[in-house]
Amino acid sequence: MKKSIIFALIAVATSFAIWAGVTYPRIGGEALHLASSLETSLYGLHRAEVDVSDSTMMSWQNSPDDGKESVIMIHGYSADKTVWMRFARHFTKQYRVIILDLPGHGETAFDPALKYDTVSQAQRVVEAMNTLGIKRAHIIGNSMGGFIAGQLALHHPDRVQSAVLVDAAGVISPQESDMFKMLAAGRNPFEMSSRAEFTEFYAMTMAQPPWLPKMILDYMADDYIARRESLARIFQDFHSTDFLDNRLPDIQVPTLILWGEQDRLLHVSGAEVWKNGIVNAELITYPKLGHMPMTEAPSQSAEDVLAFLAKHH
């Protein structure tokens, strides 16, 4: 009798451990999505689908207003629209704001039949503008999103009122970042198979990350692990596009470059490449910030961008 009770307790404990291991990160994900939904609604943003020729992109938007200029925010590789959330709240009263989840990111599905190079992604942004009835917009992009913003400024200047490049990919930095040293050694920090690898990667993304509880970080880690194959494919396509170093003088739209000096993914020396290549480009760097100033210091970086946009109505 005693043995059967012991075995029953062991079975219950084992079942609970399995349940907890499965549901714990899932609860973290639900908490993250709920918190993001509530917070964005406070900022006047709502979820909306945007149809383009080859996909349906999820977005956050505020209510259209014909009297407002438009601002489109584009996240980086492997990220999603949530990185702009607290930055975007500073723009919603004055601008029409659209924050996209590019295909293969966030709530927009990965489709192996699509192309994920920056020219293709830039074309989808143009198509999204057409769907939304936006003739011209201020384009703000981080990392890969900055590369896409650069492609838009180069190939679709009539649609770009100004470009803001935040720690932007797309040029060769004179000094190698920690990420490029890892890539040269044969390891991509974005492709991970354990939570420990995610912890190492996450420390590279920001110098001053906002606080998140462990169950949300574990959910994010598990999500990266689950997306390993699709992220590898997107990375391959993303890096199949020629960088813009030799085309920078052809960019004629007003351009602001923001960069965190502690960036470990894209070295801050790349900022000067953009600035020296684009005529009259402006540059602001942040000594204590990393790869995502809009997430690390949303109020400060938004203030700098708003001042720039005010000069380019």
Side-chain angles (χ1 to χ4, degrees):
M1 183 67 177
K2 289 183 179 179
K3 286 185 178 180
S4 63
I5 293 174
I6 292 171
F7 286 140
L9 289 173
I10 291 173
V12 170
T14 302
S15 298
F16 179 79
I18 294 171
W19 174 86
V22 172
T23 60
Y24 161 75
R26 189 180 301 165
I27 292 170
E30 292 298 327
L32 177 63
H33 296 146
L34 177 60
S36 298
S37 177
L38 291 172
E39 193 166 346
T40 50
S41 66
L42 290 174
Y43 303 154
L45 296 163
H46 62 273
R47 291 171 73 252
E49 293 181 347
V50 182
D51 291 323
V52 296
S53 60
D54 60 7
S55 58
T56 297
M57 292 191 287
M58 188 57 70
S59 71
W60 281 331
Q61 304 178 25
N62 59 351
S63 299
D65 184 332
D66 292 338
K68 291 181 178 179
E69 296 177 355
S70 296
V71 172
I72 297 175
M73 301 178 186
I74 309 173
H75 60 75
Y77 164 68
S78 84
D80 58 43
K81 61 184 179 298
T82 59
V83 299
W84 297 106
M85 181 171 60
R86 292 174 182 171
F87 174 89
R89 72 185 180 94
H90 298 280
F91 294 78
T92 52
K93 289 184 179 179
Q94 188 175 349
Y95 294 95
R96 181 181 182 186
V97 175
I98 297 93
I99 313 173
L100 297 170
D101 270 342
L102 296 172
H105 297 79
E107 295 184 283
T108 303
F110 171 79
D111 181 347
L114 299 184
K115 294 181 179 179
Y116 294 91
D117 60 277
T118 55
V119 173
S120 298
Q121 297 283 39
Q123 180 59 37
R124 293 182 184 109
V125 175
V126 171
E127 292 180 17
M129 293 173 67
N130 294 340
T131 298
L132 296 168
I134 298 171
K135 293 182 179 179
R136 297 176 74 215
H138 301 282
I139 308 293
I140 308 175
N142 171 240
S143 196
M144 180 187 73
F147 194 171
I148 293 167
Q151 297 282 22
L152 288 165
L154 178 63
H155 298 292
H156 304 277
D158 57 318
R159 310 301 298 271
V160 180
Q161 194 162 344
S162 73
V164 179
L165 313 179
V166 186
D167 294 65
V171 299
I172 299 173
S173 300
Q175 298 182 52
E176 278 192 332
S177 66
D178 289 352
M179 179 184 74
F180 275 90
K181 291 175 183 176
M182 292 176 71
L183 290 171
R187 180 185 168 199
N188 187 342
F190 287 88
E191 297 174 23
M192 60 198 73
S193 55
S194 70
R195 289 179 182 174
E197 289 178 344
F198 173 81
T199 299
E200 180 186 16
F201 160 77
Y202 191 68
M204 297 175 67
T205 63
M206 290 175 278
Q208 296 189 36
W211 180 84
L212 289 173
K214 187 176 184 301
M215 70 175 179
I216 289 180
L217 291 172
D218 285 346
Y219 162 77
M220 293 168 64
D222 291 355
D223 182 60
Y224 265 87
I225 294 167
R227 295 161 59 206
R228 181 184 174 108
E229 290 187 10
S230 64
L231 287 175
R233 163 64 194 288
I234 294 170
F235 188 86
Q236 180 181 6
D237 282 13
F238 165 29
H239 287 85
S240 69
T241 312
D242 289 339
F243 277 14
L244 299 179
D245 300 70
N246 296 329
R247 301 296 307 275
L248 296 183
D250 298 328
I251 295 177
Q252 301 295 317
V253 305
T255 302
L256 171 66
I257 300 138
L258 303 182
W259 218 287
E261 294 182 20
Q262 304 304 314
D263 192 337
R264 297 177 60 194
L265 298 180
L266 296 174
H267 196 276
V268 66
S269 59
E272 290 292 340
V273 177
W274 285 103
K275 183 181 185 299
N276 293 335
I278 301 174
V279 177
N280 296 323
E282 300 178 31
L283 171 63
I284 299 173
T285 64
Y286 303 106
K288 297 182 180 181
L289 303 183
H291 186 62
M292 295 195 285
M294 73 288 184
T295 304
E296 299 174 64
S299 297
Q300 180 184 3
S301 54
E303 182 180 345
D304 290 332
V305 174
L306 285 167
F308 171 76
L309 299 189
K311 297 186 291 186
H312 300 286
H313 283 297

